[in-house]
Amino acid sequence: MPSPHLRPPLSRRGFLTASAATALALAPFPARSATRPCPFGRYGSPAARLTPQTLYVDPSGQGDFTTVQAAVTAATGSGRTLVIAPGTYRETVAVDVTRTEMTWLGAGRDPRDVVIVHDNAAGTPKPGGGTYGTTGSATTLVQADGFTARRITFANDWLRADHPGISGTQAVAIKVQGDRSAFHHCRFLGHQDTLYADSMALGVFARQYFAHCYAEGDVDFVFGRATAVYEHCHFRTLNRTDLSSAPYGFVFAPSTAGANPRGYLVIRSRVTGEAPDAHYKLARPWVPSSDPTARPSLTVRDTHLGPGIDAVAPYTNMSASFPWQEQRFAEYRNAGPGAEITVPENRPQLTAVQAESATREAYLGDWAPWQEGR
């Protein structure tokens, strides 16, 4: 989200420099003195822990650990909290299924203050041979249930232009598979496949909640089979200098299991962009080869769609074998130039009665993460 706490423009990977709102997201932080004030703010310190289950991460050494992964490795069991000091953490991080009910708290005032970033792509060669693949490209992987993150930026700054010989250009900032995974005031930065909201297995309907978050990218940059609610979020499409014609990309690519009654719900959000008008599709259905029975589900309601979205044909196919018209796409009370209904058959709309079931409560059931505050 736009923030008053912007830093001067410093040198960094070029893929975010096209927009003033994002140009500073991964800028390096100035060197910090070992005698600087406690970097953890109101969340205590190793000498005065928030709770006995709290661990502190600080790149300058004032915490328990200097890397996020080291803290995660030490945080065995359930119910652990990581307080992460401002800084740029260039690493990959994995939270396995045993580390349930974990919370990460960014100790800065703004999600730009704490950045977890790496630069693997699906086609990046692995040290031991082969390539990483889409899942392996993820900077952060969360498989545990009950994960919560606040005020953190998750990023993948791999660039197509820097690697013309690599065809696997998916580069995931975060893959989330756990049930009851919540993100508040977080940012997700990348190009292709930025935010992978998924589940651990085909028959597992993982619930996820994203509130007041920002996600940007170009191709399918919010995708997967989770039951996910995006509330008060900002999705921003990036410009493409490597393409000469539309479409430049697709905001959503759900892959909802056919047995799952609910997929992605976008509510009270906005979609903006840097690209020319009508150069992006709102969504396309992803029916993966591992699940040809998938019926992708996406409802976008009470959301502002900017001019970058193709209002005439906002949906398209990923595969001709699975036309978008046979999937579960719908809209309700959207506004903005990208929401204008010019070809009604291309803009499936919910009725008022149907919209009564398109709520965060209906999607998330007995879990109410919007009531959890810090």
Side-chain angles (χ1 to χ4, degrees):
M1 293 280 186
S3 167
H5 309 298
L6 296 178
R7 298 185 175 81
L10 301 175
S11 173
R12 46 162 288 200
R13 301 297 297 273
F15 84 107
L16 296 176
T17 58
S19 125
T22 59
L24 315 165
L26 301 181
F29 285 76
R32 298 177 184 272
S33 165
T35 60
R36 66 186 169 97
C38 175
F40 305 111
R42 62 193 177 105
Y43 295 120
S45 69
R49 295 184 189 276
L50 188 67
T51 70
Q53 295 288 89
T54 302
L55 297 174
Y56 294 84
V57 185
D58 175 50
S60 73
Q62 293 195 61
D64 300 302
F65 303 94
T66 58
T67 69
V68 179
Q69 183 59 65
V72 169
T73 300
T76 56
S78 183
R80 305 303 295 269
T81 296
L82 269 55
V83 178
I84 306 174
T88 298
Y89 299 83
R90 181 162 285 278
E91 57 178 304
T92 59
V93 185
V95 181
D96 68 32
V97 296
T98 68
R99 288 164 168 78
T100 57
E101 314 303 327
M102 179 175 280
T103 298
W104 292 5
L105 301 174
R109 294 177 299 169
D110 186 283
R112 290 173 175 79
D113 294 336
V114 177
V115 179
I116 302 172
V117 58
H118 203 66
D119 61 349
N120 286 330
T124 300
K126 295 171 67 174
T131 57
Y132 282 99
T134 299
T135 292
S137 75
T139 297
T140 301
L141 173 65
V142 177
Q143 297 182 313
D145 291 344
F147 180 86
T148 298
R150 297 179 183 275
R151 294 180 306 281
I152 296 172
T153 292
F154 300 90
N156 189 318
D157 62 358
W158 187 90
L159 291 172
R160 299 182 186 97
D162 290 349
H163 305 277
I166 292 180
S167 58
T169 57
Q170 300 89 344
V172 177
I174 187 169
K175 181 173 183 177
V176 187
Q177 295 179 281
D179 185 39
R180 295 178 293 103
S181 299
F183 297 81
H184 303 267
H185 299 280
C186 289
R187 305 173 77 231
F188 308 96
L189 311 180
H191 272 261
Q192 183 173 352
D193 292 5
T194 303
L195 171 53
Y196 196 169
D198 205 53
S199 72
M200 284 296 292
L202 179 59
V204 176
F205 305 156
R207 295 165 296 173
Q208 299 171 12
Y209 180 68
F210 301 82
H212 302 281
C213 289
Y214 172 94
E216 69 177 26
D218 48 40
V219 177
D220 305 329
F221 65 93
V222 182
F223 73 114
R225 67 176 171 230
T227 298
V229 174
Y230 306 88
E231 184 171 29
H232 297 298
C233 289
H234 179 187
F235 305 93
R236 185 167 179 83
T237 60
L238 299 177
N239 203 3
R240 301 282 299 269
T241 58
D242 57 322
L243 297 179
S244 59
S245 62
Y248 281 4
F250 321 88
V251 181
F252 301 100
S255 57
T256 320
N260 188 350
R262 297 177 179 90
Y264 286 1
L265 172 65
V266 180
I267 184 168
R268 292 186 288 275
S269 295
R270 59 186 171 125
V271 179
T272 67
E274 304 172 348
D277 291 359
H279 271 54
Y280 271 84
K281 303 293 186 181
L282 184 60
R284 61 178 182 171
W286 176 30
V287 179
S289 57
S290 59
D291 180 22
T293 65
R295 285 198 65 219
S297 172
L298 167 71
T299 294
V300 180
R301 61 169 299 175
D302 301 293
T303 290
H304 187 275
L305 305 181
I309 298 300
D310 182 356
V312 175
Y315 307 104
T316 190
N317 300 333
M318 188 176 294
S319 167
S321 300
F322 304 100
W324 73 263
Q325 294 90 342
E326 296 179 6
Q327 312 311 319
R328 296 175 285 179
F329 287 178
E331 301 178 50
Y332 184 68
R333 292 193 316 200
N334 293 324
E340 183 179 355
I341 301 175
T342 58
V343 183
E345 58 266 33
N346 288 346
R347 310 297 302 247
Q349 303 290 310
L350 296 179
T351 65
V353 172
Q354 290 171 330
E356 292 177 358
S357 298
T359 65
R360 62 189 185 184
E361 292 82 0
Y363 273 60
L364 301 181
D366 60 358
W367 177 49
W370 54 88
Q371 296 178 353
E372 303 167 3
R374 253 187 214 278

